[in-house]
Amino acid sequence: MSSTGGAARVAVVTGAGSGIGRAVARLMLADGYRVALAGRREEQLLETADGHRNALPVPCDVTAPDDVERLFESTRRRWGRVDVLFNNAGVFGPAASVDEISLADWNATVAVNLTGSMLCAAAAVRSMKAQQPQGGRIINNGSISAHSPRPRTVAYAVTKHAMTGLTKSIELDGRAFGITCGQIDIGNTATEIMDTIGVGSGALQADGSRRVEPMFPVEDAARAVLLMANMPASASVGSMVITAAGMPFIGRG
């Protein structure tokens, strides 16, 4: 990532109104970043910002191209550039296998998790190519599901596998412009989405049983994202996997 001559770096965090996005945004602000907070609900973005002078809440639906363009235009207008995008907005989608999911639910999950990530990455890359100094860093939030799906999560698992292809393509195409792209795959950090799949009370396992799984604090996941963001321009973390210790991921459970 190119140097900005000692000025505070500028980050865009999508899905900043809750969960991992909120934790990352707050940690970046504490680390001296100027942060554009993107999300659908302004009230939640304002809670994340908590009055911080270097926070810019921007209501944004990542599936709407005009919203995404406005997000990046607002960021550039305020601070002149974009150094980091944490491409985090996502939904878990319905609990369904391929023969059960409706086309509407499939399309809705793909629209947020994949198309929304593509739209934000595209806007970030355009900004990073045009600015001086040129370059920047994109961090895509994948998931453990980019490696191994949970039962009855076909839409989520497919979009997270596709995120890996998006990450590698951005990294390859960004080389000539000083743009790097990496992916963080997080397993069982304590956020609202874990409640929806019952991790704390008993998540569905591949053998049909339910098992209470360990979780770890969202602040620790945020620290891993910040580590990736703060790498020097000469280095890039292409892939990071971070899970709760003892999570049933490696091996047979």
Side-chain angles (χ1 to χ4, degrees), residues 4-15:
T4 57
R9 284 181 291 174
V10 178
V12 174
V13 176
T14 67

Side-chain angles (χ1 to χ4, degrees), residues 150 194 197-206 209-213:
R150 289 184 179 275
M194 292 296 99
I197 60 175
V199 166
S201 58
L204 183 63
Q205 305 296 306
S209 66
R210 289 193 175 273
R211 177 175 176 179
V212 175
E213 298 181 8

Side-chain angles (χ1 to χ4, degrees), residues 45-251:
L45 298 178
L46 292 171
E47 289 176 2
T48 299
D50 195 27
H52 199 292
R53 62 186 179 86
N54 284 333
L56 176 64
V58 184
C60 174
D61 178 351
V62 297
T63 70
D66 289 347
D67 275 18
V68 173
E69 289 304 316
R70 182 171 53 82
L71 166 64
F72 283 85
E73 287 171 6
S74 298
T75 305
R76 290 191 301 269
R77 190 180 311 118
R78 178 76 171 266
W79 293 308
R81 60 184 292 112
V82 175
D83 296 297
V84 178
L85 165 65
F86 181 42
N87 219 357
N88 166 70
V91 295
F92 197 73
S97 60
V98 70
D99 59 312
E100 298 168 337
I101 192 169
S102 70
L103 180 59
D105 284 343
W106 171 271
N107 286 340
T109 308
V110 171
V112 176
N113 292 0
L114 185 56
T115 305
S117 295
M118 180 276 292
L119 290 172
C120 290
V125 167
R126 285 191 289 270
S127 294
M128 292 169 180
K129 283 182 176 181
Q131 63 199 16
Q132 293 297 328
Q134 193 178 59
R137 174 161 286 145
I138 295 171
I139 302 168
N140 288 331
N141 191 357
S143 170
I144 289 301
S145 290
H147 302 266
S148 181
R150 289 184 179 275
R152 305 186 71 241
T153 60
V154 62
Y156 184 76
V158 169
T159 57
K160 293 304 183 178
H161 275 69
M163 183 73 90
T164 302
L166 179 65
T167 299
K168 292 179 179 180
S169 292
I170 295 167
E171 168 69 18
L172 177 61
D173 295 337
R175 285 180 184 173
F177 307 98
I179 299 168
T180 65
C181 186
Q183 180 167 318
I184 186 164
D185 296 321
I186 302 170
N188 284 12
T189 191
T191 60
E192 296 88 338
I193 197 170
M194 292 296 99
D195 294 334
T196 68
I197 60 175
V199 166
S201 58
L204 183 63
Q205 305 296 306
D207 64 1
S209 66
R210 289 193 175 273
R211 177 175 176 179
V212 175
E213 298 181 8
M215 293 187 286
F216 72 107
V218 69
E219 291 78 13
D220 291 334
R223 287 168 52 209
V225 175
L226 186 66
L227 171 69
M228 294 175 72
N230 283 347
M231 293 297 290
S234 58
S236 177
V237 179
S239 176
M240 179 185 288
V241 176
I242 179 169
T243 73
M247 177 185 175
F249 168 57
I250 301 298

